Amino acid sequence: MPLKQALSIAEEKTLDLVEVAPQAKPPVCKIMDYGKYKYEQAKKAKEAKKNQNIMKVKEVQMSVKIEDHDFNVKVNMAKRFLENKDKVKVRIRFRGREIAHKDIAYDLMKRFAEEVKDLGQVSSGPSMEGRHMLMFITPTTDK
């Protein structure tokens, strides 16, 4: 339909002529209320943003020489973070000559991962970064 004819029909109905697909050959236009259209688009975008889950990274720090009760407190903290759908960063810091006993830290990380396996899975296993050993645990999704 010619542009002038489409504009006259839109004017007659007191609506707007909106170009929907400008890249098409020929360009596609619709006769609609542009204000209402913009409002509905904004409403859809807001609804999509509301349903989006933003994942934060929470950190749990411990030492190689951690006692059982303190370890359980850290595990409970990590479980609480995972229940809130947050990513958990487990950090073991080495002080002084403790760095020579990395095997103890690896065992501690395995034990930690085993304790929280029902709520999360290890996304990146234990790895050294300077004088710290890091491990990331992401929450399991229920879909």
Side-chain angles (χ1 to χ4, degrees):
M1 163 181 305
L3 179 65
K4 289 197 187 256
Q5 186 182 355
L7 279 170
S8 65
I9 293 170
E11 191 75 28
E12 197 176 286
K13 294 182 179 181
T14 63
L15 293 172
D16 302 311
L17 184 66
V18 180
E19 193 173 29
V20 179
Q23 65 276 6
K25 294 284 182 198
V28 180
C29 297
K30 263 188 173 179
I31 296 173
M32 65 171 95
D33 186 359
Y34 188 67
K36 184 178 176 184
Y37 173 73
K38 288 291 280 185
Y39 170 74
E40 286 173 357
Q41 293 293 90
K43 200 171 173 183
K44 282 181 189 175
K46 188 176 179 184
E47 190 68 30
K49 191 173 182 180
K50 188 166 70 171
N51 292 336
Q52 192 176 24
N53 184 22
I54 299 141
M55 193 178 289
K56 297 182 193 99
V57 178
K58 301 283 189 162
E59 187 170 342
V60 176
Q61 280 191 18
M62 56 185 132
S63 175
V64 179
K65 298 186 289 188
I66 192 167
E67 292 294 322
D68 285 338
H69 179 265
D70 297 329
F71 178 78
N72 291 334
V73 168
K74 299 292 184 180
V75 166
N76 289 335
M77 282 173 58
K79 284 182 178 179
R80 189 174 70 236
F81 296 150
L82 291 169
E83 285 168 356
N84 292 336
K85 302 292 184 209
D86 292 328
K87 202 173 184 178
V88 178
K89 178 182 186 180
V90 184
R91 179 192 301 256
I92 296 179
R93 73 179 167 278
F94 295 96
R95 300 167 77 187
R97 292 187 214 125
E98 290 176 352
I99 199 126
H101 301 286
K102 292 179 186 168
D103 54 331
I104 297 171
Y106 276 112
D107 294 339
L108 194 61
M109 287 287 202
K110 284 181 193 168
R111 195 170 129 210
F112 196 94
E114 192 65 32
E115 291 282 334
V116 297
K117 74 176 181 201
D118 54 328
L119 293 171
Q121 61 209 24
V122 177
S123 60
S124 71
S127 62
M128 288 299 294
E129 189 177 288
R131 297 189 72 81
H132 301 279
M133 184 178 286
L134 302 174
M135 176 174 71
F136 288 91
I137 301 171
T138 52
T140 51
T141 54
D142 303 324
K143 287 187 177 178

